[in-house]
Amino acid sequence: MSTFTSAFANNSQIQVRKELAKEHNFRYVGIPTSKNTVRILSKQWDWKLIDFNGKPLTKDVLHLTSFSEGRARVQETVDAYHQYFIDEKGNRIINESSIVCRDSYFSEGLASVRDKRHKIGYMDKQGNLAIACLFQQVTEFSDSVAWVRYPLPSPMGDLFYLIDKSGNEVIDEPFLAVNDFVDGVAGVQIPKFKFKGKRFCLEAYDCYYVIIDSSGNQLSENKFVYVEQFAGNVAIAYRQDNKQIFINKQGEQISKNAYEGLGTISDGICSLPLADQSKAYYIDTYENQISKAYDEANPFSEGLGCVREQGKYFFIDCSGKEVFADFFDKAEPFNEGVAQVQKGQEVFYIDHTGEKVF
């Protein structure tokens, strides 16, 4: 039994990845799959899938994404059109009639693909075309629905329609702009139409955002200039005066104050700049200040925030406390349990305790 196989049996995934990187001198090791395989980045900057004995299960490729629902997207060359999916054993998911879309991933059993006419549809996890390629633009499925835009020209402009997993439209009304559904709700921009002759004409200046559920029912009476995607039960909305507020799923204001410059909500926390924009601190969605002000305050990821002060980067937790006593010249937010950092000329990855992983 190899050292990293033994580690997997007795220790955390991070330890498995650390041992694997050390034994084979890999630059990066991803999260192990349920089939005891893992994607790695070699010293030659090639990605591939290997088993726990280090045996390659795929050829070297330009990029291999993390797995989503047991599937990962592969890009072999700089030509982004040459992409396909593999399963957790490295088997290629074949679809002869269509090509995997750039940035596509599996969500609720479906992923976006396009045909030779550049029309977009969806395939299932076996590679079968599940929804015909009829659309110009799509989102991935969420809460059993997805947004699609039909090819131009359209008498009503670029409008999004809501479809189910059979490709049928859920509601008749289209929207001018949309967010993905989160826990059954989404912010959408309702267009206003007028007749010009016998055709519809879009009055874009009179549009506004509301909250709807996945059946198309409007949940909010309030109208907004813009609504960001929900993070749990809370979203950031822009009022008519362009001030930002926190709202609930019914579109009701739940914050006592209105703000300018709120960052994206992540882990129930977002950044807020000082009045002079020189620094930013963190608040939670209950409007409690949880940290002091920093020169740079990045969105939280995996429960940790990456901040910069006096030219050095470090990490804080959701209470604003520094999580480990180490500073870096550069740092990226955490992803897949690790964060890329730089000290001097050395670039490496750390785990949530600040320990060097690979």
Side-chain angles (χ1 to χ4, degrees):
M1 181 180 291
S2 67
T3 55
F4 47 86
T5 302
S6 176
F8 182 79
N10 301 296
N11 299 294
S12 69
Q13 287 188 344
I14 287 290
Q15 185 64 26
V16 177
R17 298 162 69 185
K18 184 177 180 180
E19 294 290 342
L20 187 56
K22 181 179 180 181
E23 183 160 334
H24 292 277
N25 202 24
F26 294 138
R27 292 183 184 272
Y28 183 84
V29 179
I31 296 176
T33 72
S34 61
K35 304 298 182 184
N36 291 349
T37 59
V38 64
R39 67 187 184 108
I40 61 93
L41 179 63
S42 70
K43 279 294 180 181
Q44 291 72 40
W45 297 99
D46 295 313
W47 289 91
K48 59 187 168 186
L49 188 72
I50 65 171
D51 65 18
F52 276 15
N53 293 313
K55 177 184 176 182
L57 302 176
T58 62
K59 61 183 178 181
D60 294 341
V61 295
L62 181 67
H63 190 56
L64 175 61
T65 69
S66 57
F67 278 84
S68 174
E69 299 186 357
R71 300 290 184 267
R73 179 168 43 82
V74 174
Q75 181 177 340
E76 289 190 2
T77 66
V78 292
D79 185 353
Y81 291 120
H82 293 164
Q83 298 187 96
Y84 54 89
F85 284 101
I86 60 171
D87 65 18
E88 293 180 337
K89 292 185 177 181
N91 299 312
R92 183 169 177 168
I93 308 301
I94 299 174
N95 186 292
E96 301 292 350
S97 62
S98 55
I99 303 169
V100 172
C101 291
R102 186 175 184 175
D103 298 329
S104 176
Y105 61 91
F106 272 92
S107 177
E108 299 187 357
L110 297 172
S112 56
V113 293
R114 65 173 181 84
D115 62 14
K116 295 179 180 179
R117 304 170 302 157
H118 297 279
K119 301 298 186 294
I120 304 174
Y122 295 88
M123 78 174 195
D124 63 22
K125 293 171 72 173
Q126 287 69 48
N128 303 311
L129 191 63
I131 299 176
C133 296
L134 302 172
F135 314 109
Q136 188 73 24
Q137 183 180 350
V138 303
T139 67
E140 305 302 338
F141 272 84
S142 176
D143 288 325
S144 298
V145 291
W147 294 106
V148 299
R149 181 168 65 83
Y150 291 98
L152 296 178
S154 165
M156 293 182 290
D158 295 349
L159 299 175
F160 288 87
Y161 293 80
L162 194 63
I163 64 168
D164 61 22
K165 289 186 176 180
S166 297
N168 300 316
E169 292 181 13
V170 177
I171 51 179
D172 295 330
E173 294 81 7
F175 300 98
L176 188 60
V178 295
N179 292 330
D180 289 340
F181 279 89
V182 176
D183 296 331
V185 297
V188 296
Q189 188 178 32
I190 295 181
K192 176 135 182 210
F193 301 104
K194 66 178 181 180
F195 280 103
K196 186 176 182 180
K198 294 184 178 180
R199 301 180 67 185
F200 281 112
C201 179
L202 181 62
E203 289 185 288
Y205 60 83
D206 201 20
C207 302
Y208 54 86
Y209 272 79
V210 297
I211 312 301
I212 66 169
D213 64 22
S214 55
S215 296
N217 301 309
Q218 184 172 325
L219 304 179
S220 61
E221 295 182 1
N222 294 326
K223 301 175 182 179
F224 305 100
V225 173
Y226 179 67
V227 175
E228 295 187 1
Q229 187 163 303
F230 272 82
N233 296 320
V234 181
I236 295 173
Y238 290 68
R239 301 187 314 196
Q240 297 299 319
D241 59 2
N242 276 325
K243 295 282 188 177
Q244 296 165 290
I245 57 173
F246 295 124
I247 61 170
N248 60 19
K249 290 183 177 181
Q250 288 72 45
E252 300 165 335
Q253 180 173 340
I254 58 174
S255 57
K256 295 180 180 178
N257 302 304
Y259 303 94
E260 291 183 355
L262 283 175
T264 302
I265 300 174
S266 180
D267 295 331
I269 294 169
C270 62
S271 61
L272 178 63
L274 297 177
D276 62 1
Q277 305 290 314
S278 62
K279 294 188 176 186
Y281 58 94
Y282 292 103
I283 63 172
D284 60 26
T285 53
Y286 298 99
E287 301 178 273
N288 301 308
Q289 181 174 340
I290 66 165
S291 78
K292 66 178 185 179
Y294 300 101
D295 296 330
E296 183 180 335
N298 294 291
F300 267 68
S301 178
E302 299 184 4
L304 296 176
C306 178
V307 299
R308 178 175 59 85
E309 188 174 44
Q310 297 181 351
K312 294 295 183 180
Y313 288 84
F314 55 98
F315 294 88
I316 64 172
D317 62 19
C318 293
S319 67
K321 180 182 177 182
E322 294 180 25
V323 290
F324 37 84
D326 211 349
F327 297 89
F328 308 99
D329 296 315
K330 291 183 180 179
E332 299 291 337
F334 272 84
N335 182 41
E336 292 192 323
V338 294
Q340 186 184 87
V341 298
Q342 181 175 342
K343 273 191 173 183
Q345 299 300 312
E346 185 183 13
V347 179
F348 54 97
Y349 289 87
I350 59 172
D351 63 16
H352 281 235
T353 68
E355 182 182 352
K356 182 177 179 180
V357 182
F358 37 76

